Amino acid sequence: MEILQYIGITLAVFVTMEGITWLTHKYIMHGLGWYFHEDHHQPGYPHVFEKNDFFFVIFAIPSILLFYFGAIPEINWMFFVGLGILFYGIAYFLVHDVLIHRRFKWFDKTNNWYLRGLRKAHKMHHKHLGKEDGECFGMLFVPLQYFKEQLKIEH
């Protein structure tokens, strides 16, 4: 039974991270943290790393601490909270940096309706070069209209 609780904790944290990411993106990255996020909104950023990558570190710190304290003296619920954050971070990296922004050319041939919907929503977010008037702050759960558009294209 304990393993099911740990799986549940991990999944719940993964889903909750989308809300935390949305709030952080809208109110921190497009607010006080704009200094770090601004270069991400500039087309054709020429460097391997962006100042925006600072946020990966910020999100990794709680996960690392939860792994540490969740393994002392033995594995406990905190470890699985950290695992949920880690899994969301991996998903975010794969969707945002690999599929959408193509910082790495790993999945260039992907033509899935869901991934095209995410790509379209993120493109709408990036049409705003400044921190104001943003839209589509989520990453894995975006407004249904973007998926519906992609399903119409498929049929």
Side-chain angles (χ1 to χ4, degrees):
M1 187 58 158
E2 194 173 72
I3 188 75
L4 292 177
Q5 290 174 324
Y6 289 154
I7 290 170
I9 289 169
T10 303
L11 291 174
V13 169
F14 181 93
V15 171
T16 301
M17 282 304 297
E18 178 72 5
I20 292 169
T21 300
W22 189 94
L23 291 167
T24 302
H25 191 180
K26 182 172 175 80
Y27 296 107
I28 305 283
M29 293 178 179
H30 282 254
L32 293 173
W34 181 249
Y35 169 79
F36 293 106
H37 190 60
E38 181 179 19
D39 64 346
H40 181 66
H41 278 265
Q42 303 311 309
Y45 189 74
H47 305 290
V48 173
F49 294 106
E50 302 174 345
K51 287 185 291 184
N52 186 61
D53 294 333
F54 167 77
F55 292 107
F56 278 113
V57 175
I58 294 300
F59 278 110
I61 290 170
S63 183
I64 293 165
L65 290 172
L66 286 160
F67 279 130
Y68 178 77
F69 291 111
I72 296 175
E74 58 188 37
I75 298 290
N76 62 60
W77 64 272
M78 288 186 282
F79 182 89
F80 296 94
V81 172
L83 193 61
I85 295 170
L86 172 66
F87 286 164
Y88 185 84
I90 291 168
Y92 188 98
F93 169 76
L94 289 173
V95 169
H96 183 262
D97 289 295
V98 176
L99 287 166
I100 293 173
H101 288 290
R102 296 189 166 114
R103 285 175 74 179
F104 304 90
K105 311 290 187 214
W106 297 342
F107 305 112
D108 273 355
K109 305 285 189 252
T110 302
N111 199 24
N112 175 279
W113 66 270
Y114 173 75
L115 298 175
R116 285 195 329 257
L118 292 179
R119 208 177 277 146
K120 174 70 175 176
H122 203 73
K123 185 175 185 176
M124 295 307 294
H125 175 74
H126 275 271
K127 78 178 185 180
H128 305 283
L129 298 180
K131 70 179 186 176
E132 293 84 17
D133 303 321
E135 57 187 286
C136 297
F137 292 96
M139 181 49 51
L140 301 177
F141 307 116
V142 299
L144 288 176
Q145 73 188 55
Y146 298 107
F147 301 121
K148 290 177 183 175
E149 290 172 13
Q150 300 310 313
L151 284 171
K152 286 179 188 174
I153 292 170
E154 256 185 29
H155 297 295

